[in-house]
Amino acid sequence: MKKIICKGKQFLLALNISYRTFSFLNGVQIVKFIFKRFVLRQHVPMLGIFSVTYRCQCSCVHCGVSEYINKKMTKECTEETKRVIDVFVRYGMLKVNFFGGEPLLRNDIVLLVAYAVRKGLRTSLSTNGILLTEPRILELKKAGIGNITVSIDSAEHKTHDRLRGYEGCFNAAVNALRLCVKHKIPAAISCYASKQSIADNNLSKIISLGEKIGVDAVKIRMPILAGKLKNSQEQRLNEHEIEYLKGLLKDHSRVYIEEAFYYVAFKEKCCSALKKQLIYVSPNGEVQPCPAIAVSLGNILSEGKLGRIFNKPIVKQFYSKYSGIDSCLVNTEQFRRSYYPINDEAVLPLAIEELLP
């Protein structure tokens, strides 16, 4: 019974964050998604994490995409970005998360949000908060943004700024969250569960900060051994630390682990990328299972259709090979043995043909 109640609370939390408002076109996308995913049995993710730029003002110590050496991207083009959104819509996906880098560095980000909303996609934006000023928040609200997530790495401003490598980042992030609450935009804090943040009770302090601000949720991100943490095996959480996180989930109704729709209860934590619940698209159009799995399944701009990418025998082989993994793929020895010996000095993302010859 307790498990059912926990699932119910988490599901309602997810709805409050992602579907507080609802349009006719949202309903059309849901019908399309259900038909393709459950009737036609097609590989249709719910969420597209769309990195619209690699550029960022910060240099975070735990950045999961910092190892992308191939950051020579094509010129940021509004029309090409719209093409990716169009592919998401045609394929039946439900939501796009504008990701980075820092998505607010795109001068056309408000236009892109409005375009996705007009097409029937739910929208969210993940940001460090530096550029999330009141005028920009009002523009995003008018464009129809569904929810905004702001990263907070520490409840102490000096520590947060040090971890982000940007002085003043903490005050900007907190102010941005307060403005989101003021203007009734669903807002969440994203924080990182490191061994240090657990040991010094920092996660609890961030949750308290979120409650004080009035945010809708606090998302805890698990350690992913990618990017700057690629060789940080010591950051793996032990059983005691995992139990501590379970306690936070139990004690705070607005706290969830990673994506609310995919981790409705912590005991059922899985790799949502391998469960085909999400995909990641890089600024250059490379389709990856998620931001941390720097393996290119194909290019959405050159190939045009997600179905064409997911139906490749080698892509099906990838998902089949790792389908039994019930945790973050990047953290598993099975994946790391086959991936990092090839990839340690490689240009990323790695073509899937190099991983699965």
Side-chain angles (χ1 to χ4, degrees), residues 42-102:
Q42 294 180 0
H43 179 165
V44 184
M46 295 177 66
L47 170 68
I49 301 175
F50 188 9
S51 178
V52 292
T53 183
Y54 280 134
R55 295 182 292 138
C56 187
Q57 313 97 316
C58 298
S59 180
C60 303
V61 298
H62 55 272
C63 181
V65 297
S66 65
E67 67 176 346
Y68 291 146
I69 300 170
N70 185 19
K71 293 188 178 182
K72 293 181 180 179
M73 49 187 286
T74 55
K75 184 178 179 180
E76 294 169 1
C77 174
T78 300
E79 294 309 310
E80 284 200 345
T81 306
K82 287 181 177 180
R83 281 176 56 200
V84 174
I85 293 171
D86 288 339
V87 172
F88 286 177
V89 174
R90 287 196 300 270
Y91 201 58
M93 295 168 63
L94 299 180
K95 183 176 181 178
V96 56
N97 173 243
F98 291 99
F99 193 71
E102 172 50 52

Side-chain angles (χ1 to χ4, degrees), residues 33 37 44-47 262 272-279:
F33 171 81
R37 175 105 190 206
V44 184
M46 295 177 66
L47 170 68
Y262 314 137
S272 51
L274 296 181
K275 296 298 182 183
K276 304 177 182 178
Q277 301 287 10
L278 64 85
I279 57 165

Side-chain angles (χ1 to χ4, degrees), residues 110-165:
V110 174
L111 185 154
L112 296 173
V113 169
Y115 184 79
V117 170
R118 288 199 304 271
K119 291 289 183 172
L121 292 177
R122 300 301 300 173
T123 58
S124 60
L125 185 141
S126 299
T127 175
N128 55 38
I130 295 170
L131 297 176
L132 198 55
T133 59
E134 189 161 22
R136 182 51 54 91
I137 286 174
L138 291 173
E139 289 175 342
L140 288 167
K141 181 176 182 179
K142 184 177 180 180
I145 190 72
N147 61 279
I148 294 175
T149 299
V150 181
S151 295
I152 298 285
D153 297 330
S154 172
E156 203 283 317
H157 75 278
K158 290 184 179 179
T159 302
H160 174 86
D161 290 356
R162 174 178 57 79
L163 293 173
R164 291 260 144 184

Side-chain angles (χ1 to χ4, degrees), residues 2 15 52 62 84 109 142 156 230 259 263 299-300 324:
K2 288 183 179 180
L15 286 178
V52 292
H62 55 272
V84 174
I109 189 64
K142 184 177 180 180
E156 203 283 317
K230 180 176 68 174
E259 297 299 333
Y263 302 126
N299 191 290
I300 201 171

Side-chain angles (χ1 to χ4, degrees), residues 10 13 16-17 214-219 249 252-256:
Q10 295 286 302
L13 175 61
N16 185 51
I17 296 169
V215 300
D216 296 278
V218 175
K219 175 176 73 173
L249 211 63
H252 301 275
S253 61
R254 296 190 178 187
V255 176
Y256 67 95

